[in-house]
Amino acid sequence: MADWNRRTVLQGIGAGFAGSALIGQAQAQNGPKRKLGYAIVGLGSYATRQIMPQFKNCEYARLVALVSGTPEKLERYGAEYGVPRTHRYSYADYDKLRNNPDIDVVYVVLPNSMHAEYSIRASRAGKHVMCEKPMAVSVAECQAMIEAARAANRKLMIGYRCHFEPHNLRSVELVKTGFVGRPTLITAEHGFFAQPGQWRLDRPMSGGGSLMDIGIYSLNAARYLAGEEPMELVATEYTDRTDPRFRNVEDRIDFQLKFPSGVIANCVSSYSSGHNAFRVTGTKGWVGMEPATSYEGQKLFTRTGGDTEQVSVSTPRKNQFVAQLDHLPESILTGIPLRASGEEGLRDMRLIEAIYRSARERRAVSLA
Amino acid sequence: MADWNRRTVLQGIGAGFAGSALIGQAQAQNGPKRKLGYAIVGLGSYATRQIMPQFKNCEYARLVALVSGTPEKLERYGAEYGVPRTHRYSYADYDKLRNNPDIDVVYVVLPNSMHAEYSIRASRAGKHVMCEKPMAVSVAECQAMIEAARAANRKLMIGYRCHFEPHNLRSVELVKTGFVGRPTLITAEHGFFAQPGQWRLDRPMSGGGSLMDIGIYSLNAARYLAGEEPMELVATEYTDRTDPRFRNVEDRIDFQLKFPSGVIANCVSSYSSGHNAFRVTGTKGWVGMEPATSYEGQKLFTRTGGDTEQVSVSTPRKNQFVAQLDHLPESILTGIPLRASGEEGLRDMRLIEAIYRSARERRAVSLA
């Protein structure tokens, strides 16, 4: 299915044009083969429960291959999604993805510390890469991933599904168009109860605690709601090291981001309480969501002139998962600019490293 | 009306007993003269619009004297509240309060930088003192106020009306009795739009910006909701110094308090956006108010098991203003322990100085 030459031409055509105008063109030129093939790497609960069921609703993406270390999973999900044995891989066979022309995109849904290695090997195999957040566990790894994709002339996207979620997009638009006036405060709070025994609590797998896993939603939301990059931050950590869950990862780490325009973001990251909300307050009122970044059930509220209202956002044709899965192939096929690129993931990782440093050194960290 | 010997006896009787049991006793012994007399010092909008209209509902307090630098105000409010000319004072005559036995309590409602001087002079005049928040503009001033009241053997109370507000009290009780489980996060957000020309924007009068004025509600609420004292804090300030309102006071200063039990409080203080809310999240759910510390209209919400509910709090016989005005005389008459004492005001002032220091030095400040 992959047709690199044709796609290269399309990317050239697409350069400098608005993406939407090109969708029809891509469809027309790509004809019935407009869907690019994904290999899913790592068959954990997020991949199998959230991502894989969405392909049936995709316009540009289809599931063509599976990678897992568990033969039973390959058998079960291979059968469920009609992925033939020739397209099921163990990690030992991972580099053989290179030889499968049906695979256009490799979607890395592994524990955080494996993101860099498996993304880089996918780029070197000539595949486009979608990688789950957090992009990796260090700035150095993120840079290596970007470089590998660049060297292979392939795209690299990070799984920031909220960039495609309609209520989040509407919130960003309301802020950008002045609904709240000049923004002064962003609060972004994310947390859940970490269960003992999960890989997320094992630093060699996770690279860190709640910040890497759920606090990154607070961080990323603060940035897309502010529409600018922070210039300074301070952070406070609290972890009960006698709790067996938190022997080598942090429980809670809250941070304040200071943006050049003057907006301050108070962000929460927790493994020991439930939070899923943000609010942008400005000189005229506020826009807020709760839940904000959940898989479904988002609610958007606004307040101006003393009245709080729930804003109904029309259900789009594509939910956030479908829109994310479709976006990378559409960008490949049509040349529309890639949202949630590797550079976006790198920006968050730089801030994550700075947040850890601020909490450790108990001082503000400049981000100039 | 003042009868120091009788009250001293009552205080002795009251020591070691629950206050409520003594109210009837105080009423009985004090007979029809159970109301102590207040002098209101400073006839600005808070005094005249919020405080003075409440005396008619008080059980232990009555308005007997007025102090103002504006003869028209003395005339107008003297007439309105039936305060005879003999009980109306200019600031030049302030120390003559000493000679008026009808005055038991002096309530200082002046700009912040005048709190210490006028409270200390009232103590020295042998009067009990109620002083508005912030208690003063420095730790040193607060200490001098406490010492002056101690030396005069008179009481000193700070106008923390939220300590008497039923929804706030119910929130504290819910947290204390485990409704939210183990608390992990407190958010407390207060702000309003400072109008040009107000004394609060003039540092020599105000001693500081939003933190002194409205952010102190976030600070104080974080402390009473946590039920413990913070051990460390970090703060971030943003002030547009080109805005003529903020030439010498801060606009926004947000701070994180870290408490010994592990709860972290994210607090907001703003002069350029509206905020009036808090929320305490724990391992089982949350308790929150919005508005939280307004003059009226408080709303209390809780969330556990996925359900958010508004909690109705029965309207008490005394609103927060009346309960505050009554509390000091009741404590004087019956010996019940004083809530919102000078020591409470001093604790906030120590933290306010630490918050300013943290923002200035861009580092965490230990509060050991």
Side-chain angles (χ1 to χ4, degrees):
Chain A
M1 174 166 181
D3 180 342
W4 177 244
N5 288 333
R6 190 188 63 223
R7 289 208 304 275
T8 306
V9 170
L10 282 169
Q11 283 181 26
I13 292 170
F17 288 82
S20 56
L22 287 161
I23 292 174
Q25 193 177 32
Q27 287 175 335
Q29 298 198 17
N30 207 28
K33 282 194 171 185
R34 75 182 186 279
K35 290 190 179 185
L36 299 194
Y38 270 77
I40 298 291
V41 184
L43 300 179
S45 72
Y46 186 69
T48 58
R49 293 185 202 172
Q50 304 305 329
I51 298 171
M52 285 155 55
Q54 304 292 342
F55 280 102
K56 66 177 180 295
N57 300 314
C58 284
E59 192 178 0
Y60 296 108
R62 63 184 187 121
L63 176 57
V64 299
L66 300 172
V67 182
S68 173
T70 310
E72 295 74 22
K73 287 187 179 176
L74 289 174
E75 183 62 33
R76 174 182 166 190
Y77 293 108
E80 184 173 340
Y81 288 94
V83 175
R85 290 208 160 68
T86 52
H87 290 53
R88 304 176 194 170
Y89 298 85
S90 68
Y91 290 110
D93 291 336
Y94 186 72
D95 293 322
K96 294 183 184 163
L97 297 180
R98 172 194 306 269
N99 306 319
N100 187 335
D102 288 344
I103 301 170
D104 302 285
V105 176
V106 172
Y107 191 164
V108 177
V109 203
L110 293 165
N112 306 342
S113 67
M114 301 164 79
H115 288 182
E117 178 191 340
Y118 283 84
S119 292
I120 289 168
R121 284 166 67 185
S123 295
R124 289 182 182 158
K127 306 302 182 184
H128 301 283
V129 173
M130 175 89 79
C131 178
E132 257 313 304
K133 41 65 48 188
M135 182 171 171
V137 298
S138 72
V139 166
E141 283 188 349
C142 293
Q143 289 169 328
M145 291 163 72
I146 290 169
E147 175 53 26
R150 193 203 59 74
N153 199 22
R154 293 298 184 273
K155 291 188 186 259
L156 167 61
M157 177 174 161
I158 311 303
Y160 285 114
R161 61 182 164 75
C162 298
H163 291 215
F164 302 90
E165 197 285 314
H167 298 75
N168 279 264
L169 292 171
R170 181 82 180 116
S171 298
V172 169
E173 183 187 317
L174 283 167
V175 173
K176 194 180 285 184
T177 56
F179 181 85
V180 304
R182 182 169 53 84
T184 58
L185 174 73
I186 296 169
T187 54
E189 303 174 358
H190 288 83
F192 66 90
F193 292 86
Q195 299 303 317
Q198 295 182 311
W199 66 257
R200 56 170 50 92
L201 298 175
D202 183 20
R203 178 175 289 274
M205 299 281 267
S206 62
S210 70
L211 179 57
M212 284 279 185
D213 188 18
I214 186 71
I216 192 173
Y217 285 98
S218 295
L219 174 63
N220 197 254
R223 290 177 50 243
Y224 60 70
L225 292 166
E228 58 182 337
E229 298 298 324
M231 60 185 190
E232 185 174 310
L233 61 81
V234 289
T236 301
E237 186 200 327
Y238 182 84
T239 304
D240 176 0
R241 295 292 178 185
T242 68
D243 184 324
R245 294 175 300 166
F246 304 127
R247 272 193 286 252
N248 63 9
V249 298
E250 83 277 1
D251 171 7
R252 283 177 285 127
I253 189 160
D254 294 349
F255 47 99
Q256 291 182 329
L257 308 174
K258 187 173 176 178
F259 291 88
S261 70
V263 68
I264 293 174
N266 282 0
C267 299
V268 168
S269 174
S270 174
Y271 263 166
S272 57
S273 45
H275 309 268
N276 193 314
F278 63 63
R279 190 186 281 189
V280 183
T281 305
T283 48
K284 290 187 188 168
W286 57 254
V287 166
M289 287 184 59
E290 184 165 14
T293 63
S294 44
Y295 295 157
E296 59 188 354
Q298 279 84 356
K299 287 184 186 161
L300 171 59
F301 302 89
T302 60
R303 185 175 178 88
T304 47
D307 295 317
T308 304
E309 283 180 40
Q310 183 170 350
V311 177
S312 124
V313 174
S314 61
T315 308
R317 195 166 46 91
K318 299 180 182 182
N319 69 23
Q320 59 185 330
F321 296 98
V322 172
Q324 179 196 313
L325 285 170
D326 266 349
H327 179 68
L328 177 55
E330 191 182 354
S331 176
I332 293 165
L333 291 169
T334 70
I336 61 164
L338 191 64
R339 280 191 264 169
S341 66
E343 283 71 18
E344 173 73 1
L346 171 62
R347 279 183 210 108
D348 273 353
M349 191 56 54
R350 283 191 203 283
L351 293 168
I352 286 172
E353 288 192 352
I355 291 165
Y356 283 134
R357 189 160 73 246
S358 173
R360 197 168 56 238
E361 300 180 359
R362 301 176 54 253
R363 62 176 183 85
V365 172
S366 279
L367 306 163
Chain B
M1 173 170 181
D3 180 341
W4 177 243
N5 289 331
R6 191 189 63 225
R7 290 210 303 275
T8 306
V9 170
L10 283 168
Q11 284 182 24
I13 292 169
F17 289 83
S20 56
L22 287 161
I23 293 174
Q25 194 177 32
Q27 286 175 334
Q29 298 196 17
N30 208 28
K33 284 193 171 183
R34 74 179 187 282
K35 290 189 178 184
L36 298 195
Y38 270 78
I40 298 291
V41 184
L43 300 179
S45 72
Y46 186 68
T48 58
R49 293 186 202 173
Q50 304 304 329
I51 297 170
M52 286 155 55
Q54 304 292 341
F55 281 102
K56 65 178 182 292
N57 300 315
C58 285
E59 192 178 1
Y60 297 108
R62 63 185 188 122
L63 176 57
V64 299
L66 300 172
V67 182
S68 173
T70 309
E72 295 73 23
K73 285 187 179 177
L74 289 173
E75 183 63 32
R76 173 182 167 188
Y77 294 109
E80 183 173 342
Y81 289 95
V83 175
R85 290 210 160 66
T86 54
H87 289 52
R88 305 177 193 169
Y89 298 86
S90 69
Y91 290 109
D93 291 335
Y94 186 72
D95 294 322
K96 294 182 183 164
L97 297 179
R98 173 195 305 270
N99 307 318
N100 187 335
D102 288 344
I103 300 171
D104 302 286
V105 176
V106 171
Y107 191 163
V108 178
V109 203
L110 293 165
N112 307 341
S113 66
M114 302 165 79
H115 287 183
E117 180 192 339
Y118 284 83
S119 294
I120 290 168
R121 286 167 66 186
S123 296
R124 289 182 181 157
K127 305 301 182 184
H128 301 282
V129 172
M130 176 88 80
C131 178
E132 256 313 302
K133 42 62 51 186
M135 181 171 172
V137 299
S138 71
V139 166
E141 284 188 349
C142 294
Q143 290 169 328
M145 292 163 72
I146 290 170
E147 175 53 25
R150 194 202 59 73
N153 198 24
R154 292 296 183 274
K155 290 187 187 260
L156 168 60
M157 177 173 160
I158 311 304
Y160 286 115
R161 59 182 164 75
C162 300
H163 291 215
F164 302 89
E165 196 286 313
H167 299 75
N168 279 263
L169 293 172
R170 181 82 180 116
S171 298
V172 170
E173 183 187 316
L174 283 167
V175 173
K176 195 181 285 185
T177 55
F179 181 85
V180 304
R182 181 170 53 85
T184 57
L185 174 72
I186 296 168
T187 55
E189 303 173 359
H190 287 82
F192 65 90
F193 292 87
Q195 300 302 319
Q198 295 182 312
W199 66 257
R200 56 171 48 92
L201 298 175
D202 182 20
R203 178 174 290 275
M205 300 282 265
S206 62
S210 70
L211 179 58
M212 285 279 184
D213 189 16
I214 186 71
I216 192 173
Y217 286 97
S218 295
L219 174 62
N220 197 254
R223 290 177 51 243
Y224 59 70
L225 292 166
E228 57 181 337
E229 297 300 325
M231 61 184 191
E232 185 174 308
L233 61 80
V234 289
T236 302
E237 185 199 327
Y238 182 84
T239 304
D240 177 0
R241 296 292 177 186
T242 68
D243 185 325
R245 294 175 301 165
F246 304 127
R247 273 193 287 252
N248 62 10
V249 297
E250 83 278 0
D251 171 7
R252 284 178 284 126
I253 188 159
D254 294 349
F255 47 99
Q256 292 182 328
L257 308 174
K258 186 174 176 178
F259 291 89
S261 70
V263 67
I264 294 174
N266 283 359
C267 299
V268 168
S269 174
S270 174
Y271 263 165
S272 57
S273 45
H275 309 269
N276 193 314
F278 62 63
R279 190 185 280 191
V280 183
T281 305
T283 48
K284 289 185 188 168
W286 56 253
V287 166
M289 286 184 61
E290 184 164 16
T293 63
S294 44
Y295 295 156
E296 58 188 355
Q298 279 84 357
K299 287 183 185 161
L300 172 59
F301 301 89
T302 59
R303 186 175 178 89
T304 47
D307 295 317
T308 304
E309 282 180 40
Q310 183 169 353
V311 177
S312 125
V313 175
S314 60
T315 309
R317 195 165 46 89
K318 299 180 182 182
N319 70 23
Q320 59 185 330
F321 297 97
V322 173
Q324 180 195 315
L325 285 171
D326 265 349
H327 178 70
L328 177 55
E330 191 183 353
S331 175
I332 293 165
L333 291 168
T334 70
I336 60 164
L338 190 64
R339 282 191 263 170
S341 66
E343 284 71 18
E344 173 73 0
L346 171 62
R347 280 183 209 109
D348 273 353
M349 192 53 56
R350 283 191 202 285
L351 293 168
I352 286 172
E353 287 192 353
I355 290 164
Y356 283 134
R357 188 160 74 246
S358 174
R360 197 170 55 239
E361 300 180 359
R362 302 175 55 253
R363 62 175 184 85
V365 171
S366 279
L367 306 163

